[in-house]
Amino acid sequence: RQPVLDVVAEAVRHHLVERRDDREYAFVHHRIRDALLSQADGAAPELIHERIADLLEDRADGSPESVYALARHCQLAGAGRRPDRLFRVAYAAGRQALADHAPTQAVVFLEAAAATADHIPTEHASRFGTTLGVAYHRAGRFRDATQAFDRSLAAASDAMERAAIRHLIARVHDSTWSTAE
């Protein structure tokens, strides 16, 4: 444990890492983290990210920062490791990014969740597709938004939900001046 603390203290002195509080530190730039990970002896970066994700999940406090960090490390661990967790945390991070008015970041997280399509619970398929469609729409990716909404519409079982999705499709067409649609 002491060698790790010595390395962290040295990194703080060189302004590579910043102290957040008594127990938390953060890299000042993600490339510094990537460079250090690339030099890790004997461990594949995916395994390191998976272990970091395990630790973050144990300490999750629901803050946007912890939601984003967990999702990023799950993404970097790869979809093949724990696809059910990747779907769950990337979907949560995508919703958080939409709430934080960051649609491009939401798309990144939601596309990572979509990559685990086999692990999307059937009861969430329509809601997930709608969320992805909203993110695409807000990010200006109108064709992708329409396609996501169409998939969501196909998965919807409730008449009110289908009506709401059709409304969202109409808003996309309105955004692109395709009023005939």
Side-chain angles (χ1 to χ4, degrees), residues 52-67:
I52 292 169
D54 291 341
L55 294 170
L56 288 172
E57 193 167 34
D58 290 343
R59 295 182 55 201
D61 61 6
S63 69
E65 294 81 16
S66 72
V67 171

Side-chain angles (χ1 to χ4, degrees), residues 10-160:
E10 186 70 18
V12 168
R13 275 193 296 279
H14 290 287
H15 305 288
L16 300 172
V17 172
E18 63 186 11
R19 184 184 304 254
R20 294 280 170 93
D21 63 28
D22 287 340
R23 300 186 68 202
E24 290 191 22
Y25 295 84
F27 290 101
V28 295
H29 196 277
H30 70 88
R31 293 204 184 260
I32 295 168
R33 180 195 66 224
D34 295 344
L36 290 173
L37 284 174
S38 71
Q39 297 177 19
D41 291 336
E46 296 84 13
L47 295 175
I48 294 170
H49 286 293
E50 183 175 14
R51 180 66 180 127
I52 292 169
D54 291 341
L55 294 170
L56 288 172
E57 193 167 34
D58 290 343
R59 295 182 55 201
D61 61 6
S63 69
E65 294 81 16
S66 72
V67 171
Y68 294 145
L70 177 57
R72 282 190 197 103
H73 284 288
C74 286
Q75 282 179 278
L76 292 168
R81 298 225 173 263
R82 294 195 39 203
D84 55 324
R85 175 168 73 174
L86 177 57
F87 171 76
R88 180 176 42 81
V89 302
Y91 185 22
R95 290 191 314 267
Q96 182 66 54
L98 282 174
D100 290 342
H101 306 287
T104 303
Q105 189 63 43
V107 167
V108 171
F109 286 124
L110 294 169
E111 285 181 338
T116 66
D118 295 342
H119 297 277
I120 298 174
T122 306
E123 66 272 10
H124 295 294
S126 177
R127 272 183 280 147
F128 174 76
T130 300
T131 304
L132 181 58
V134 167
Y136 281 142
H137 184 207
R138 290 183 187 172
R141 293 176 55 180
F142 303 118
R143 181 171 294 148
D144 292 331
T146 302
Q147 291 171 352
F149 287 138
D150 287 342
R151 286 189 302 274
S152 182
L153 190 60
S157 59
D158 178 68
M160 291 300 289

